[in-house]
Amino acid sequence: MSETASKALGAPAATPDAGRWKALVFIALAQLMVVLDATIVNIALPSAQQDLGISDGNRQWVVTAYALAFGGLLLFGGRIADLWGRKRAFVLGLGGFALASALGGAATNEAMMFGARALQGAFGALLAPAALSLLAVMFTDAKERAKAFGIYGAIAGGGGAVGLILGGFLTEYLDWRWTFFVNIPFAIVAAAGAYFVIREPQGGRNRSPLDIPGVVLSTLGLVALVYGFTRAESSGWSDSVTVGMFVASAVLLATFVAVESRVKAPLLPLRVITERNRGGIYLSLGLAIIAMFGLFLFLTYYLQIVKGYSPVKTGFAFLPMIAGMITGSTQIGTRLMTRVAPRLLMGPGFLVAALGMLLLTRLEIGSSYAALLLPAMLLLGLGMGTAFMPAMSLATQGVEPRDAGVASAMVNTSQQVGGAIGTALLNTIAASATTSYIADHIAGAGSRSQQQLVQLEGMVEGYTSAIWFAVGILVVAAGIALTFVNAGRPGSNTVTGSDSGEGVADEMPVPVVAH
C-alpha cells in the first residue's frame, strides 16, 4: 500500500498514545458542555428575560446570537484547528467558552447577554471540530475507535436532554445565572486535563496559508442561511428579509464552492465533501437532526403546557430517550460496528427512530406517558444512538490528517444547519395546523373552558401534523444512508473511494445542538 493510501485510510503512523483513554474523558466532558448549552439556556430564558428586561421581540437573540456565531464560524474553526493544532485549538476554545459563560452569567442588560452568547458560539465553533478531530487522529484501531465514538455519539445525542434536566434544576432551585456559570468548572477541568494528557500525533497539521476569501464567503453564507431559517420561524417564509437571506446564502455559498475549486489551499477541500460516504453521512445526519430538534421542541411544550409538568419533571421525562441513546451508541453501535457495514447500522437505526416518531403521531391531550411517550422515546433513543455512532466515526474516515479538523467541522455544520431548519420548518407546520384546527372548531365552543380545550387540542393537532413530517424526514435519511454509504465493515475487502483517488480496501481505522 502506498504512503498516500495509508494516510488516506488513517493507518497509524506510530504507536498509539498511552494516554488516549484519559484524553477521551476530557474530550467527552468538553463535548457534553457544548451540547448541554443547547438546551440548558432555553429552560432559563423566561427567567433571564424578566430579570434583564429583554422584550418579547428581542428574546430570540439569546438563542439566535449563539446559533449565528456557531454555525457561521464552524468551517473557519475547523481550519484553525488543522492550522494551529487540535490540542491548542481545543484548550483555547474551552478557555474562551468559560470566559463567555462567565460574562453571560454576570449580564446586567440585554446587550451584554447577546454579546456573551455570540462569544460562546464563536469559541464553540473552535472547540467542537477540534474535539471530534482529536478523536479521529488519536483512535486509529478499529475496535478502540468504535468504543471511543460510541461514548462520543452517546454524549452528542443525549446531552441535550440532560441539559433539560440540569437547566430545570438550576433555574428552579438556584438562579438562571447558574445555567451559564455551570460551564466554568466543566471548561476548567477539561482544559487542564487536555493540556496535561492529550498528545496529538505529529505531522497532522495543515500549514497552508489561510484561505481568506473562503473564510469570508463561508461565514457570511452560513450566517445568512441560519438566520434565514431563524427569521422564518418568527416572521414567516414569505417575509422579504427571510427570502433575501436565503437568496444571499445561495449566492454566497455557490461562490464559495466556485472559489474553493480554484484556490491552491482551500478552506474546505472539495475532496472532503464529494467522497460518497462522507457526502451521505453529512446529508443523512443533517436530515435526522431536523427531525430530532422538532421533537425536542414539541415534546417540551406538550409536557409543560398540555400536561402541566414542571421544568424539572419535563427534563426527567426525557430520561428514557437518553437511556436509549446511550444503549444504542455504546452497546449496539459499538459492538456491531466492527462486524457489519456502517449503512446496516445507520439505515435501520433511522428507521427504528422513525417508528418511535410514528407512535407520537397518536398523541392526544390525555395520552398516557407510560403507554405512549415512554416506548416512543426508547425507540427514538435506540435508533438515533445506533445510527449516530457509526455516522460520527465514518465522517472522518479516509480523511488525510491535515483535513481532519475541517471534516469534523462539516459534521457539526450539518447538525447546526439541520437544527435551524428543523426548528423553523416543523414549528411553521405545527403553527399552521394549530391555527387551522382552532379556526374550524372554536365556533362550537360556548364556554371559556371549552374554548381552552379547543386551543389545547389545536396545539396537539399541530404537534402531530409536524411529527408526521418528521417521520418522513427520518425515512428519507435512512434511504440516503442505505444508498450512499457503501463502506464495508472494518477489515473487509470492500473497495471504496479514498481522498487520494486510489481504490483501496476499506479498513475503517478511523458526531449538536446542536444546537
PDB file of all heavy atoms in Angstrom, residues 213-240:
ATOM      1  N   PRO A 213     -10.655  34.564   1.302  1.00  0.00           N
ATOM      2  CA  PRO A 213     -11.944  34.652   0.585  1.00  0.00           C
ATOM      3  C   PRO A 213     -12.896  33.517   0.980  1.00  0.00           C
ATOM      4  O   PRO A 213     -14.097  33.738   1.135  1.00  0.00           O
ATOM      5  CB  PRO A 213     -11.542  34.547  -0.894  1.00  0.00           C
ATOM      6  CG  PRO A 213     -10.127  35.007  -0.923  1.00  0.00           C
ATOM      7  CD  PRO A 213      -9.515  34.551   0.359  1.00  0.00           C
ATOM      8  N   GLY A 214     -12.349  32.317   1.156  1.00  0.00           N
ATOM      9  CA  GLY A 214     -13.183  31.192   1.577  1.00  0.00           C
ATOM     10  C   GLY A 214     -13.768  31.405   2.953  1.00  0.00           C
ATOM     11  O   GLY A 214     -14.946  31.085   3.202  1.00  0.00           O
ATOM     12  N   VAL A 215     -12.976  31.940   3.884  1.00  0.00           N
ATOM     13  CA  VAL A 215     -13.461  32.222   5.248  1.00  0.00           C
ATOM     14  C   VAL A 215     -14.618  33.208   5.202  1.00  0.00           C
ATOM     15  O   VAL A 215     -15.680  32.987   5.813  1.00  0.00           O
ATOM     16  CB  VAL A 215     -12.318  32.790   6.131  1.00  0.00           C
ATOM     17  CG1 VAL A 215     -12.869  33.304   7.459  1.00  0.00           C
ATOM     18  CG2 VAL A 215     -11.258  31.731   6.389  1.00  0.00           C
ATOM     19  N   VAL A 216     -14.439  34.310   4.461  1.00  0.00           N
ATOM     20  CA  VAL A 216     -15.469  35.355   4.389  1.00  0.00           C
ATOM     21  C   VAL A 216     -16.747  34.821   3.747  1.00  0.00           C
ATOM     22  O   VAL A 216     -17.855  35.003   4.273  1.00  0.00           O
ATOM     23  CB  VAL A 216     -14.939  36.587   3.612  1.00  0.00           C
ATOM     24  CG1 VAL A 216     -16.055  37.608   3.402  1.00  0.00           C
ATOM     25  CG2 VAL A 216     -13.773  37.230   4.362  1.00  0.00           C
ATOM     26  N   LEU A 217     -16.603  34.142   2.594  1.00  0.00           N
ATOM     27  CA  LEU A 217     -17.776  33.650   1.867  1.00  0.00           C
ATOM     28  C   LEU A 217     -18.533  32.575   2.658  1.00  0.00           C
ATOM     29  O   LEU A 217     -19.766  32.594   2.730  1.00  0.00           O
ATOM     30  CB  LEU A 217     -17.350  33.085   0.505  1.00  0.00           C
ATOM     31  CG  LEU A 217     -16.919  34.111  -0.543  1.00  0.00           C
ATOM     32  CD1 LEU A 217     -16.237  33.426  -1.723  1.00  0.00           C
ATOM     33  CD2 LEU A 217     -18.131  34.913  -1.034  1.00  0.00           C
ATOM     34  N   SER A 218     -17.800  31.625   3.261  1.00  0.00           N
ATOM     35  CA  SER A 218     -18.468  30.552   4.006  1.00  0.00           C
ATOM     36  C   SER A 218     -19.149  31.088   5.253  1.00  0.00           C
ATOM     37  O   SER A 218     -20.272  30.701   5.578  1.00  0.00           O
ATOM     38  CB  SER A 218     -17.467  29.453   4.381  1.00  0.00           C
ATOM     39  OG  SER A 218     -16.530  29.919   5.329  1.00  0.00           O
ATOM     40  N   THR A 219     -18.468  31.999   5.967  1.00  0.00           N
ATOM     41  CA  THR A 219     -19.050  32.557   7.191  1.00  0.00           C
ATOM     42  C   THR A 219     -20.315  33.349   6.884  1.00  0.00           C
ATOM     43  O   THR A 219     -21.364  33.135   7.510  1.00  0.00           O
ATOM     44  CB  THR A 219     -18.027  33.461   7.916  1.00  0.00           C
ATOM     45  OG1 THR A 219     -16.866  32.685   8.241  1.00  0.00           O
ATOM     46  CG2 THR A 219     -18.620  34.036   9.195  1.00  0.00           C
ATOM     47  N   LEU A 220     -20.237  34.249   5.908  1.00  0.00           N
ATOM     48  CA  LEU A 220     -21.415  35.053   5.550  1.00  0.00           C
ATOM     49  C   LEU A 220     -22.534  34.171   4.992  1.00  0.00           C
ATOM     50  O   LEU A 220     -23.719  34.377   5.302  1.00  0.00           O
ATOM     51  CB  LEU A 220     -21.035  36.123   4.525  1.00  0.00           C
ATOM     52  CG  LEU A 220     -20.115  37.248   5.026  1.00  0.00           C
ATOM     53  CD1 LEU A 220     -19.773  38.208   3.890  1.00  0.00           C
ATOM     54  CD2 LEU A 220     -20.778  38.011   6.175  1.00  0.00           C
ATOM     55  N   GLY A 221     -22.173  33.167   4.180  1.00  0.00           N
ATOM     56  CA  GLY A 221     -23.185  32.275   3.599  1.00  0.00           C
ATOM     57  C   GLY A 221     -23.905  31.460   4.648  1.00  0.00           C
ATOM     58  O   GLY A 221     -25.139  31.329   4.619  1.00  0.00           O
ATOM     59  N   LEU A 222     -23.155  30.897   5.597  1.00  0.00           N
ATOM     60  CA  LEU A 222     -23.767  30.087   6.653  1.00  0.00           C
ATOM     61  C   LEU A 222     -24.571  30.943   7.626  1.00  0.00           C
ATOM     62  O   LEU A 222     -25.648  30.542   8.095  1.00  0.00           O
ATOM     63  CB  LEU A 222     -22.697  29.293   7.402  1.00  0.00           C
ATOM     64  CG  LEU A 222     -22.080  28.132   6.615  1.00  0.00           C
ATOM     65  CD1 LEU A 222     -20.876  27.564   7.344  1.00  0.00           C
ATOM     66  CD2 LEU A 222     -23.115  27.028   6.372  1.00  0.00           C
ATOM     67  N   VAL A 223     -24.068  32.143   7.950  1.00  0.00           N
ATOM     68  CA  VAL A 223     -24.814  33.062   8.820  1.00  0.00           C
ATOM     69  C   VAL A 223     -26.149  33.433   8.170  1.00  0.00           C
ATOM     70  O   VAL A 223     -27.196  33.433   8.809  1.00  0.00           O
ATOM     71  CB  VAL A 223     -23.982  34.327   9.126  1.00  0.00           C
ATOM     72  CG1 VAL A 223     -24.863  35.442   9.688  1.00  0.00           C
ATOM     73  CG2 VAL A 223     -22.873  34.007  10.123  1.00  0.00           C
ATOM     74  N   ALA A 224     -26.107  33.757   6.869  1.00  0.00           N
ATOM     75  CA  ALA A 224     -27.343  34.111   6.151  1.00  0.00           C
ATOM     76  C   ALA A 224     -28.322  32.944   6.138  1.00  0.00           C
ATOM     77  O   ALA A 224     -29.533  33.120   6.320  1.00  0.00           O
ATOM     78  CB  ALA A 224     -27.007  34.538   4.718  1.00  0.00           C
ATOM     79  N   LEU A 225     -27.802  31.716   5.947  1.00  0.00           N
ATOM     80  CA  LEU A 225     -28.661  30.531   5.908  1.00  0.00           C
ATOM     81  C   LEU A 225     -29.328  30.279   7.259  1.00  0.00           C
ATOM     82  O   LEU A 225     -30.545  30.094   7.347  1.00  0.00           O
ATOM     83  CB  LEU A 225     -27.832  29.308   5.488  1.00  0.00           C
ATOM     84  CG  LEU A 225     -28.590  27.985   5.331  1.00  0.00           C
ATOM     85  CD1 LEU A 225     -29.620  28.086   4.218  1.00  0.00           C
ATOM     86  CD2 LEU A 225     -27.617  26.849   5.052  1.00  0.00           C
ATOM     87  N   VAL A 226     -28.514  30.282   8.336  1.00  0.00           N
ATOM     88  CA  VAL A 226     -29.059  30.031   9.674  1.00  0.00           C
ATOM     89  C   VAL A 226     -30.034  31.133  10.066  1.00  0.00           C
ATOM     90  O   VAL A 226     -31.112  30.867  10.609  1.00  0.00           O
ATOM     91  CB  VAL A 226     -27.911  29.919  10.713  1.00  0.00           C
ATOM     92  CG1 VAL A 226     -28.474  29.829  12.127  1.00  0.00           C
ATOM     93  CG2 VAL A 226     -27.054  28.688  10.426  1.00  0.00           C
ATOM     94  N   TYR A 227     -29.682  32.396   9.773  1.00  0.00           N
ATOM     95  CA  TYR A 227     -30.574  33.500  10.133  1.00  0.00           C
ATOM     96  C   TYR A 227     -31.860  33.457   9.324  1.00  0.00           C
ATOM     97  O   TYR A 227     -32.939  33.788   9.835  1.00  0.00           O
ATOM     98  CB  TYR A 227     -29.881  34.850   9.934  1.00  0.00           C
ATOM     99  CG  TYR A 227     -30.739  36.009  10.399  1.00  0.00           C
ATOM    100  CD1 TYR A 227     -31.166  36.090  11.718  1.00  0.00           C
ATOM    101  CD2 TYR A 227     -31.147  37.008   9.516  1.00  0.00           C
ATOM    102  CE1 TYR A 227     -31.969  37.136  12.147  1.00  0.00           C
ATOM    103  CE2 TYR A 227     -31.941  38.057   9.930  1.00  0.00           C
ATOM    104  CZ  TYR A 227     -32.352  38.125  11.250  1.00  0.00           C
ATOM    105  OH  TYR A 227     -33.162  39.151  11.677  1.00  0.00           O
ATOM    106  N   GLY A 228     -31.762  33.015   8.055  1.00  0.00           N
ATOM    107  CA  GLY A 228     -32.972  32.884   7.242  1.00  0.00           C
ATOM    108  C   GLY A 228     -33.976  31.929   7.869  1.00  0.00           C
ATOM    109  O   GLY A 228     -35.171  32.243   7.987  1.00  0.00           O
ATOM    110  N   PHE A 229     -33.510  30.778   8.305  1.00  0.00           N
ATOM    111  CA  PHE A 229     -34.407  29.810   8.944  1.00  0.00           C
ATOM    112  C   PHE A 229     -34.895  30.305  10.302  1.00  0.00           C
ATOM    113  O   PHE A 229     -36.059  30.097  10.676  1.00  0.00           O
ATOM    114  CB  PHE A 229     -33.718  28.454   9.099  1.00  0.00           C
ATOM    115  CG  PHE A 229     -33.675  27.662   7.830  1.00  0.00           C
ATOM    116  CD1 PHE A 229     -32.482  27.454   7.160  1.00  0.00           C
ATOM    117  CD2 PHE A 229     -34.839  27.126   7.293  1.00  0.00           C
ATOM    118  CE1 PHE A 229     -32.445  26.722   5.981  1.00  0.00           C
ATOM    119  CE2 PHE A 229     -34.814  26.404   6.108  1.00  0.00           C
ATOM    120  CZ  PHE A 229     -33.613  26.199   5.456  1.00  0.00           C
ATOM    121  N   THR A 230     -34.017  30.970  11.056  1.00  0.00           N
ATOM    122  CA  THR A 230     -34.422  31.504  12.358  1.00  0.00           C
ATOM    123  C   THR A 230     -35.490  32.570  12.193  1.00  0.00           C
ATOM    124  O   THR A 230     -36.470  32.606  12.947  1.00  0.00           O
ATOM    125  CB  THR A 230     -33.195  32.100  13.086  1.00  0.00           C
ATOM    126  OG1 THR A 230     -32.190  31.105  13.199  1.00  0.00           O
ATOM    127  CG2 THR A 230     -33.569  32.575  14.479  1.00  0.00           C
ATOM    128  N   ARG A 231     -35.321  33.440  11.209  1.00  0.00           N
ATOM    129  CA  ARG A 231     -36.291  34.507  10.981  1.00  0.00           C
ATOM    130  C   ARG A 231     -37.605  33.950  10.428  1.00  0.00           C
ATOM    131  O   ARG A 231     -38.688  34.454  10.746  1.00  0.00           O
ATOM    132  CB  ARG A 231     -35.704  35.543  10.014  1.00  0.00           C
ATOM    133  CG  ARG A 231     -36.597  36.768   9.877  1.00  0.00           C
ATOM    134  CD  ARG A 231     -35.985  37.862   9.031  1.00  0.00           C
ATOM    135  NE  ARG A 231     -36.938  38.943   8.837  1.00  0.00           N
ATOM    136  CZ  ARG A 231     -37.078  39.970   9.662  1.00  0.00           C
ATOM    137  NH1 ARG A 231     -36.336  40.059  10.745  1.00  0.00           N
ATOM    138  NH2 ARG A 231     -37.969  40.916   9.399  1.00  0.00           N
ATOM    139  N   ALA A 232     -37.504  32.896   9.607  1.00  0.00           N
ATOM    140  CA  ALA A 232     -38.719  32.287   9.060  1.00  0.00           C
ATOM    141  C   ALA A 232     -39.650  31.807  10.157  1.00  0.00           C
ATOM    142  O   ALA A 232     -40.883  31.878  10.046  1.00  0.00           O
ATOM    143  CB  ALA A 232     -38.348  31.127   8.139  1.00  0.00           C
ATOM    144  N   GLU A 233     -39.053  31.333  11.265  1.00  0.00           N
ATOM    145  CA  GLU A 233     -39.853  30.827  12.378  1.00  0.00           C
ATOM    146  C   GLU A 233     -40.704  31.926  13.011  1.00  0.00           C
ATOM    147  O   GLU A 233     -41.844  31.696  13.397  1.00  0.00           O
ATOM    148  CB  GLU A 233     -38.918  30.229  13.434  1.00  0.00           C
ATOM    149  CG  GLU A 233     -39.636  29.576  14.596  1.00  0.00           C
ATOM    150  CD  GLU A 233     -38.673  29.118  15.672  1.00  0.00           C
ATOM    151  OE1 GLU A 233     -37.454  29.240  15.490  1.00  0.00           O
ATOM    152  OE2 GLU A 233     -39.165  28.661  16.707  1.00  0.00           O
ATOM    153  N   SER A 234     -40.140  33.147  13.087  1.00  0.00           N
ATOM    154  CA  SER A 234     -40.854  34.244  13.756  1.00  0.00           C
ATOM    155  C   SER A 234     -41.607  35.163  12.797  1.00  0.00           C
ATOM    156  O   SER A 234     -42.663  35.691  13.141  1.00  0.00           O
ATOM    157  CB  SER A 234     -39.869  35.081  14.583  1.00  0.00           C
ATOM    158  OG  SER A 234     -38.824  35.583  13.767  1.00  0.00           O
ATOM    159  N   SER A 235     -41.073  35.337  11.582  1.00  0.00           N
ATOM    160  CA  SER A 235     -41.659  36.321  10.659  1.00  0.00           C
ATOM    161  C   SER A 235     -42.330  35.710   9.434  1.00  0.00           C
ATOM    162  O   SER A 235     -42.939  36.430   8.648  1.00  0.00           O
ATOM    163  CB  SER A 235     -40.565  37.295  10.186  1.00  0.00           C
ATOM    164  OG  SER A 235     -39.953  37.929  11.280  1.00  0.00           O
ATOM    165  N   GLY A 236     -42.198  34.390   9.252  1.00  0.00           N
ATOM    166  CA  GLY A 236     -42.839  33.743   8.117  1.00  0.00           C
ATOM    167  C   GLY A 236     -41.904  33.550   6.944  1.00  0.00           C
ATOM    168  O   GLY A 236     -40.897  34.258   6.802  1.00  0.00           O
ATOM    169  N   TRP A 237     -42.244  32.579   6.100  1.00  0.00           N
ATOM    170  CA  TRP A 237     -41.381  32.217   4.964  1.00  0.00           C
ATOM    171  C   TRP A 237     -41.438  33.235   3.827  1.00  0.00           C
ATOM    172  O   TRP A 237     -40.528  33.308   3.017  1.00  0.00           O
ATOM    173  CB  TRP A 237     -41.765  30.839   4.432  1.00  0.00           C
ATOM    174  CG  TRP A 237     -41.517  29.765   5.432  1.00  0.00           C
ATOM    175  CD1 TRP A 237     -42.401  29.285   6.363  1.00  0.00           C
ATOM    176  CD2 TRP A 237     -40.296  29.048   5.647  1.00  0.00           C
ATOM    177  NE1 TRP A 237     -41.802  28.314   7.145  1.00  0.00           N
ATOM    178  CE2 TRP A 237     -40.514  28.143   6.721  1.00  0.00           C
ATOM    179  CE3 TRP A 237     -39.043  29.076   5.042  1.00  0.00           C
ATOM    180  CZ2 TRP A 237     -39.532  27.282   7.192  1.00  0.00           C
ATOM    181  CZ3 TRP A 237     -38.060  28.214   5.506  1.00  0.00           C
ATOM    182  CH2 TRP A 237     -38.308  27.330   6.571  1.00  0.00           C
ATOM    183  N   SER A 238     -42.526  34.019   3.759  1.00  0.00           N
ATOM    184  CA  SER A 238     -42.657  34.987   2.667  1.00  0.00           C
ATOM    185  C   SER A 238     -42.130  36.366   3.043  1.00  0.00           C
ATOM    186  O   SER A 238     -42.149  37.285   2.221  1.00  0.00           O
ATOM    187  CB  SER A 238     -44.133  35.110   2.251  1.00  0.00           C
ATOM    188  OG  SER A 238     -44.930  35.508   3.354  1.00  0.00           O
ATOM    189  N   ASP A 239     -41.674  36.538   4.277  1.00  0.00           N
ATOM    190  CA  ASP A 239     -41.095  37.807   4.719  1.00  0.00           C
ATOM    191  C   ASP A 239     -39.927  38.192   3.805  1.00  0.00           C
ATOM    192  O   ASP A 239     -39.104  37.352   3.437  1.00  0.00           O
ATOM    193  CB  ASP A 239     -40.611  37.663   6.169  1.00  0.00           C
ATOM    194  CG  ASP A 239     -39.867  38.893   6.657  1.00  0.00           C
ATOM    195  OD1 ASP A 239     -40.525  39.926   6.844  1.00  0.00           O
ATOM    196  OD2 ASP A 239     -38.638  38.804   6.836  1.00  0.00           O
ATOM    197  N   SER A 240     -39.865  39.464   3.426  1.00  0.00           N
ATOM    198  CA  SER A 240     -38.863  39.905   2.440  1.00  0.00           C
ATOM    199  C   SER A 240     -37.430  39.688   2.940  1.00  0.00           C
ATOM    200  O   SER A 240     -36.539  39.305   2.163  1.00  0.00           O
ATOM    201  CB  SER A 240     -39.076  41.386   2.099  1.00  0.00           C
ATOM    202  OG  SER A 240     -38.991  42.188   3.267  1.00  0.00           O
TER     203      SER A 240
END
